[in-house]
Amino acid sequence: MSKIPVYFMPGLAASSSIFEHIALDEALFEIHLLEWVLPEEKETIVAYAQRMAKNVQHENAVLIGVSFGGVLVQEMAAFLTLRKLIIISSVKSTAELPRKMKIAKTTKAYKLVPTGLLHDVDKLIKYAFGDSLKKKLILYERFLHMRNKEYLDWAIEQMICWERASVDSNVIHIHGDADEVFPSKNIKCFINVKGGTHIMILNRFRWFNANLPKIILEEAL
């Protein structure tokens, strides 16, 4: 029996190392990790998704995206024949975006985000007040892959201004009920990870290792 190819797409600016603790049975699954690349000038998310889809080199693969990566894989699906399309800690339509993001879209406040500061995360860590903030910054520094200001400006705008009115019925949505970025109260039809936060791919990896194979193979959870 041939192995099932499973492709993982990380969240906004993150590297594929966020999946370092995901372990699927190697006799059944073959893991492939995708990375963000620089967008072309004024590139739409659809055009970007078409480029990224070329990195999925298997028919009937499983495509999994986290957060903004979940938005991207939904756009990539239009250019692929997939076995399963799974999003984690993400949204399926603009209706599921939190109110603050909808306001940011209307007011264009997202253009004011100082993305240039992300070049100096190490300096932010040095001068951060409080152990909790330092730990978060250290975690962010570790998994931050794309610090390019052009990418960050593009990605934030694409996330805030994503246009999708209708939900793709093929999407399998895994979401934590303690997600602080995309509150679960706005999310419809999802597999609930109790106590799962927006970074549950990192701190609840055991849940994913136990349940992703069942979801892919359509076994009962």
mmCIF file of all heavy atoms in Angstrom, residues 75-107:
data_model
loop_
_atom_site.group_PDB
_atom_site.id
_atom_site.type_symbol
_atom_site.label_atom_id
_atom_site.label_comp_id
_atom_site.label_asym_id
_atom_site.label_seq_id
_atom_site.Cartn_x
_atom_site.Cartn_y
_atom_site.Cartn_z
ATOM 1 N N GLU A 75 -7.224 28.446 -0.587
ATOM 2 C CA GLU A 75 -7.056 29.015 -1.918
ATOM 3 C C GLU A 75 -6.263 28.062 -2.816
ATOM 4 O O GLU A 75 -6.544 27.946 -4.012
ATOM 5 C CB GLU A 75 -6.341 30.372 -1.828
ATOM 6 C CG GLU A 75 -7.115 31.441 -1.072
ATOM 7 C CD GLU A 75 -8.398 31.875 -1.772
ATOM 8 O OE1 GLU A 75 -8.526 31.632 -2.988
ATOM 9 O OE2 GLU A 75 -9.278 32.432 -1.095
ATOM 10 N N MET A 76 -5.289 27.373 -2.247
ATOM 11 C CA MET A 76 -4.492 26.406 -3.021
ATOM 12 C C MET A 76 -5.347 25.253 -3.530
ATOM 13 O O MET A 76 -5.078 24.689 -4.601
ATOM 14 C CB MET A 76 -3.349 25.859 -2.155
ATOM 15 C CG MET A 76 -2.249 26.858 -1.853
ATOM 16 S SD MET A 76 -1.084 26.259 -0.580
ATOM 17 C CE MET A 76 -0.373 24.802 -1.382
ATOM 18 N N ALA A 77 -6.376 24.900 -2.781
ATOM 19 C CA ALA A 77 -7.216 23.744 -3.118
ATOM 20 C C ALA A 77 -7.855 23.867 -4.502
ATOM 21 O O ALA A 77 -8.152 22.856 -5.147
ATOM 22 C CB ALA A 77 -8.294 23.561 -2.049
ATOM 23 N N ALA A 78 -8.055 25.103 -4.962
ATOM 24 C CA ALA A 78 -8.662 25.315 -6.285
ATOM 25 C C ALA A 78 -7.772 24.800 -7.406
ATOM 26 O O ALA A 78 -8.254 24.544 -8.516
ATOM 27 C CB ALA A 78 -8.960 26.796 -6.485
ATOM 28 N N PHE A 79 -6.488 24.624 -7.118
ATOM 29 C CA PHE A 79 -5.522 24.220 -8.147
ATOM 30 C C PHE A 79 -5.019 22.788 -7.946
ATOM 31 O O PHE A 79 -4.090 22.358 -8.624
ATOM 32 C CB PHE A 79 -4.332 25.185 -8.142
ATOM 33 C CG PHE A 79 -4.738 26.625 -8.277
ATOM 34 C CD1 PHE A 79 -4.776 27.454 -7.163
ATOM 35 C CD2 PHE A 79 -5.117 27.137 -9.505
ATOM 36 C CE1 PHE A 79 -5.163 28.775 -7.271
ATOM 37 C CE2 PHE A 79 -5.508 28.463 -9.631
ATOM 38 C CZ PHE A 79 -5.535 29.288 -8.514
ATOM 39 N N LEU A 80 -5.652 22.061 -7.029
ATOM 40 C CA LEU A 80 -5.173 20.728 -6.668
ATOM 41 C C LEU A 80 -6.322 19.724 -6.578
ATOM 42 O O LEU A 80 -7.480 20.094 -6.381
ATOM 43 C CB LEU A 80 -4.460 20.780 -5.310
ATOM 44 C CG LEU A 80 -3.201 21.648 -5.221
ATOM 45 C CD1 LEU A 80 -2.835 21.881 -3.754
ATOM 46 C CD2 LEU A 80 -2.046 20.986 -5.965
ATOM 47 N N THR A 81 -5.958 18.445 -6.715
ATOM 48 C CA THR A 81 -6.891 17.359 -6.418
ATOM 49 C C THR A 81 -6.455 16.767 -5.085
ATOM 50 O O THR A 81 -5.369 16.180 -4.990
ATOM 51 C CB THR A 81 -6.851 16.270 -7.514
ATOM 52 O OG1 THR A 81 -7.187 16.866 -8.775
ATOM 53 C CG2 THR A 81 -7.836 15.162 -7.194
ATOM 54 N N LEU A 82 -7.270 16.959 -4.057
ATOM 55 C CA LEU A 82 -6.865 16.593 -2.704
ATOM 56 C C LEU A 82 -7.682 15.441 -2.139
ATOM 57 O O LEU A 82 -8.859 15.268 -2.467
ATOM 58 C CB LEU A 82 -7.017 17.802 -1.767
ATOM 59 C CG LEU A 82 -6.164 19.033 -2.093
ATOM 60 C CD1 LEU A 82 -6.549 20.192 -1.194
ATOM 61 C CD2 LEU A 82 -4.678 18.709 -1.948
ATOM 62 N N ARG A 83 -7.025 14.697 -1.269
ATOM 63 C CA ARG A 83 -7.726 13.667 -0.504
ATOM 64 C C ARG A 83 -8.473 14.307 0.659
ATOM 65 O O ARG A 83 -9.613 13.984 0.938
ATOM 66 C CB ARG A 83 -6.705 12.644 0.026
ATOM 67 C CG ARG A 83 -7.317 11.532 0.879
ATOM 68 C CD ARG A 83 -6.231 10.697 1.558
ATOM 69 N NE ARG A 83 -6.798 9.626 2.347
ATOM 70 C CZ ARG A 83 -6.718 8.333 2.032
ATOM 71 N NH1 ARG A 83 -6.078 7.952 0.931
ATOM 72 N NH2 ARG A 83 -7.268 7.410 2.810
ATOM 73 N N LYS A 84 -7.789 15.243 1.339
ATOM 74 C CA LYS A 84 -8.383 15.953 2.476
ATOM 75 C C LYS A 84 -7.804 17.365 2.527
ATOM 76 O O LYS A 84 -6.628 17.585 2.233
ATOM 77 C CB LYS A 84 -8.051 15.245 3.803
ATOM 78 C CG LYS A 84 -8.844 13.970 4.086
ATOM 79 C CD LYS A 84 -10.216 14.309 4.586
ATOM 80 C CE LYS A 84 -11.026 13.109 5.034
ATOM 81 N NZ LYS A 84 -10.662 11.803 4.687
ATOM 82 N N LEU A 85 -8.648 18.303 2.945
ATOM 83 C CA LEU A 85 -8.243 19.686 3.170
ATOM 84 C C LEU A 85 -8.573 20.015 4.622
ATOM 85 O O LEU A 85 -9.742 20.008 5.020
ATOM 86 C CB LEU A 85 -8.991 20.624 2.221
ATOM 87 C CG LEU A 85 -8.754 22.128 2.376
ATOM 88 C CD1 LEU A 85 -7.281 22.468 2.184
ATOM 89 C CD2 LEU A 85 -9.622 22.909 1.391
ATOM 90 N N ILE A 86 -7.530 20.265 5.422
ATOM 91 C CA ILE A 86 -7.703 20.455 6.868
ATOM 92 C C ILE A 86 -7.114 21.801 7.271
ATOM 93 O O ILE A 86 -5.993 22.139 6.876
ATOM 94 C CB ILE A 86 -7.008 19.321 7.652
ATOM 95 C CG1 ILE A 86 -7.599 17.953 7.253
ATOM 96 C CG2 ILE A 86 -7.132 19.545 9.160
ATOM 97 C CD1 ILE A 86 -6.826 16.763 7.807
ATOM 98 N N ILE A 87 -7.867 22.562 8.054
ATOM 99 C CA ILE A 87 -7.326 23.813 8.592
ATOM 100 C C ILE A 87 -7.342 23.741 10.110
ATOM 101 O O ILE A 87 -8.210 23.117 10.718
ATOM 102 C CB ILE A 87 -8.095 25.060 8.091
ATOM 103 C CG1 ILE A 87 -9.542 25.070 8.588
ATOM 104 C CG2 ILE A 87 -8.045 25.133 6.566
ATOM 105 C CD1 ILE A 87 -10.294 26.360 8.277
ATOM 106 N N ILE A 88 -6.352 24.381 10.719
ATOM 107 C CA ILE A 88 -6.175 24.366 12.174
ATOM 108 C C ILE A 88 -6.046 25.802 12.660
ATOM 109 O O ILE A 88 -5.280 26.588 12.092
ATOM 110 C CB ILE A 88 -4.909 23.568 12.563
ATOM 111 C CG1 ILE A 88 -5.027 22.107 12.111
ATOM 112 C CG2 ILE A 88 -4.644 23.650 14.068
ATOM 113 C CD1 ILE A 88 -3.716 21.332 12.180
ATOM 114 N N SER A 89 -6.807 26.167 13.691
ATOM 115 C CA SER A 89 -6.715 27.517 14.285
ATOM 116 C C SER A 89 -6.849 28.590 13.212
ATOM 117 O O SER A 89 -6.064 29.530 13.136
ATOM 118 C CB SER A 89 -5.374 27.677 15.030
ATOM 119 O OG SER A 89 -5.176 26.642 15.958
ATOM 120 N N SER A 90 -7.858 28.457 12.378
ATOM 121 C CA SER A 90 -8.015 29.343 11.230
ATOM 122 C C SER A 90 -9.486 29.719 11.053
ATOM 123 O O SER A 90 -10.283 29.596 11.989
ATOM 124 C CB SER A 90 -7.457 28.645 9.973
ATOM 125 O OG SER A 90 -7.383 29.530 8.879
ATOM 126 N N VAL A 91 -9.831 30.189 9.863
ATOM 127 C CA VAL A 91 -11.217 30.552 9.555
ATOM 128 C C VAL A 91 -11.575 30.028 8.172
ATOM 129 O O VAL A 91 -10.714 29.856 7.314
ATOM 130 C CB VAL A 91 -11.444 32.086 9.605
ATOM 131 C CG1 VAL A 91 -11.285 32.605 11.029
ATOM 132 C CG2 VAL A 91 -10.490 32.823 8.665
ATOM 133 N N LYS A 92 -12.876 29.801 7.952
ATOM 134 C CA LYS A 92 -13.352 29.259 6.676
ATOM 135 C C LYS A 92 -13.991 30.312 5.780
ATOM 136 O O LYS A 92 -14.261 30.051 4.611
ATOM 137 C CB LYS A 92 -14.358 28.123 6.931
ATOM 138 C CG LYS A 92 -13.792 26.951 7.714
ATOM 139 C CD LYS A 92 -14.798 25.830 7.870
ATOM 140 C CE LYS A 92 -15.998 26.196 8.728
ATOM 141 N NZ LYS A 92 -15.635 26.517 10.137
ATOM 142 N N SER A 93 -14.303 31.476 6.344
ATOM 143 C CA SER A 93 -14.916 32.552 5.571
ATOM 144 C C SER A 93 -14.700 33.863 6.307
ATOM 145 O O SER A 93 -14.320 33.878 7.485
ATOM 146 C CB SER A 93 -16.416 32.308 5.376
ATOM 147 O OG SER A 93 -17.108 32.531 6.592
ATOM 148 N N THR A 94 -14.976 34.957 5.623
ATOM 149 C CA THR A 94 -14.830 36.267 6.263
ATOM 150 C C THR A 94 -15.797 36.437 7.429
ATOM 151 O O THR A 94 -15.524 37.201 8.350
ATOM 152 C CB THR A 94 -15.064 37.396 5.237
ATOM 153 O OG1 THR A 94 -16.306 37.165 4.564
ATOM 154 C CG2 THR A 94 -13.956 37.420 4.210
ATOM 155 N N ALA A 95 -16.900 35.706 7.406
ATOM 156 C CA ALA A 95 -17.881 35.792 8.495
ATOM 157 C C ALA A 95 -17.294 35.315 9.818
ATOM 158 O O ALA A 95 -17.758 35.717 10.892
ATOM 159 C CB ALA A 95 -19.125 34.983 8.153
ATOM 160 N N GLU A 96 -16.276 34.459 9.762
ATOM 161 C CA GLU A 96 -15.688 33.913 10.981
ATOM 162 C C GLU A 96 -14.569 34.786 11.544
ATOM 163 O O GLU A 96 -14.035 34.486 12.617
ATOM 164 C CB GLU A 96 -15.173 32.489 10.715
ATOM 165 C CG GLU A 96 -16.294 31.501 10.428
ATOM 166 C CD GLU A 96 -15.823 30.072 10.281
ATOM 167 O OE1 GLU A 96 -14.617 29.851 10.021
ATOM 168 O OE2 GLU A 96 -16.654 29.161 10.432
ATOM 169 N N LEU A 97 -14.205 35.835 10.834
ATOM 170 C CA LEU A 97 -13.174 36.747 11.343
ATOM 171 C C LEU A 97 -13.697 37.502 12.566
ATOM 172 O O LEU A 97 -14.875 37.855 12.625
ATOM 173 C CB LEU A 97 -12.758 37.755 10.265
ATOM 174 C CG LEU A 97 -11.963 37.214 9.088
ATOM 175 C CD1 LEU A 97 -11.817 38.294 8.032
ATOM 176 C CD2 LEU A 97 -10.596 36.716 9.543
ATOM 177 N N PRO A 98 -12.834 37.766 13.549
ATOM 178 C CA PRO A 98 -13.275 38.527 14.730
ATOM 179 C C PRO A 98 -13.600 39.965 14.370
ATOM 180 O O PRO A 98 -13.121 40.507 13.364
ATOM 181 C CB PRO A 98 -12.071 38.440 15.670
ATOM 182 C CG PRO A 98 -10.907 38.199 14.784
ATOM 183 C CD PRO A 98 -11.422 37.365 13.644
ATOM 184 N N ARG A 99 -14.396 40.607 15.203
ATOM 185 C CA ARG A 99 -14.874 41.970 14.936
ATOM 186 C C ARG A 99 -13.720 42.949 14.740
ATOM 187 O O ARG A 99 -13.766 43.822 13.871
ATOM 188 C CB ARG A 99 -15.770 42.425 16.092
ATOM 189 C CG ARG A 99 -16.406 43.795 15.897
ATOM 190 C CD ARG A 99 -17.484 44.042 16.939
ATOM 191 N NE ARG A 99 -18.035 45.379 16.801
ATOM 192 C CZ ARG A 99 -17.582 46.444 17.450
ATOM 193 N NH1 ARG A 99 -16.560 46.318 18.284
ATOM 194 N NH2 ARG A 99 -18.139 47.630 17.277
ATOM 195 N N LYS A 100 -12.662 42.794 15.549
ATOM 196 C CA LYS A 100 -11.541 43.740 15.458
ATOM 197 C C LYS A 100 -10.861 43.674 14.098
ATOM 198 O O LYS A 100 -10.361 44.679 13.594
ATOM 199 C CB LYS A 100 -10.534 43.510 16.586
ATOM 200 C CG LYS A 100 -9.871 42.154 16.590
ATOM 201 C CD LYS A 100 -8.954 42.009 17.804
ATOM 202 C CE LYS A 100 -8.311 40.627 17.848
ATOM 203 N NZ LYS A 100 -7.453 40.465 19.054
ATOM 204 N N MET A 101 -10.830 42.486 13.481
ATOM 205 C CA MET A 101 -10.235 42.367 12.149
ATOM 206 C C MET A 101 -11.135 42.994 11.098
ATOM 207 O O MET A 101 -10.661 43.595 10.133
ATOM 208 C CB MET A 101 -9.948 40.902 11.815
ATOM 209 C CG MET A 101 -8.771 40.324 12.563
ATOM 210 S SD MET A 101 -8.257 38.721 11.892
ATOM 211 C CE MET A 101 -6.941 38.302 13.048
ATOM 212 N N LYS A 102 -12.447 42.855 11.282
ATOM 213 C CA LYS A 102 -13.389 43.467 10.340
ATOM 214 C C LYS A 102 -13.292 44.985 10.409
ATOM 215 O O LYS A 102 -13.364 45.671 9.385
ATOM 216 C CB LYS A 102 -14.811 42.996 10.649
ATOM 217 C CG LYS A 102 -15.045 41.513 10.392
ATOM 218 C CD LYS A 102 -16.438 41.083 10.802
ATOM 219 C CE LYS A 102 -16.659 39.595 10.560
ATOM 220 N NZ LYS A 102 -17.989 39.142 11.021
ATOM 221 N N ILE A 103 -13.115 45.506 11.627
ATOM 222 C CA ILE A 103 -12.953 46.956 11.797
ATOM 223 C C ILE A 103 -11.644 47.410 11.154
ATOM 224 O O ILE A 103 -11.581 48.443 10.482
ATOM 225 C CB ILE A 103 -12.987 47.337 13.290
ATOM 226 C CG1 ILE A 103 -14.392 47.101 13.856
ATOM 227 C CG2 ILE A 103 -12.560 48.786 13.499
ATOM 228 C CD1 ILE A 103 -14.491 47.268 15.360
ATOM 229 N N ALA A 104 -10.582 46.618 11.361
ATOM 230 C CA ALA A 104 -9.274 46.951 10.785
ATOM 231 C C ALA A 104 -9.354 47.002 9.263
ATOM 232 O O ALA A 104 -8.703 47.840 8.624
ATOM 233 C CB ALA A 104 -8.229 45.934 11.224
ATOM 234 N N LYS A 105 -10.170 46.129 8.680
ATOM 235 C CA LYS A 105 -10.348 46.136 7.226
ATOM 236 C C LYS A 105 -11.042 47.419 6.784
ATOM 237 O O LYS A 105 -10.618 48.077 5.819
ATOM 238 C CB LYS A 105 -11.170 44.918 6.791
ATOM 239 C CG LYS A 105 -11.469 44.897 5.303
ATOM 240 C CD LYS A 105 -12.329 43.699 4.933
ATOM 241 C CE LYS A 105 -12.669 43.717 3.442
ATOM 242 N NZ LYS A 105 -13.519 42.557 3.060
ATOM 243 N N THR A 106 -12.104 47.788 7.490
ATOM 244 C CA THR A 106 -12.880 48.981 7.128
ATOM 245 C C THR A 106 -12.062 50.259 7.271
ATOM 246 O O THR A 106 -12.110 51.154 6.427
ATOM 247 C CB THR A 106 -14.151 49.075 7.994
ATOM 248 O OG1 THR A 106 -14.920 47.878 7.825
ATOM 249 C CG2 THR A 106 -15.000 50.267 7.608
ATOM 250 N N THR A 107 -11.298 50.331 8.366
ATOM 251 C CA THR A 107 -10.530 51.550 8.655
ATOM 252 C C THR A 107 -9.130 51.541 8.051
ATOM 253 O O THR A 107 -8.431 52.557 8.101
ATOM 254 C CB THR A 107 -10.388 51.732 10.168
ATOM 255 O OG1 THR A 107 -9.660 50.610 10.712
ATOM 256 C CG2 THR A 107 -11.759 51.815 10.848
#
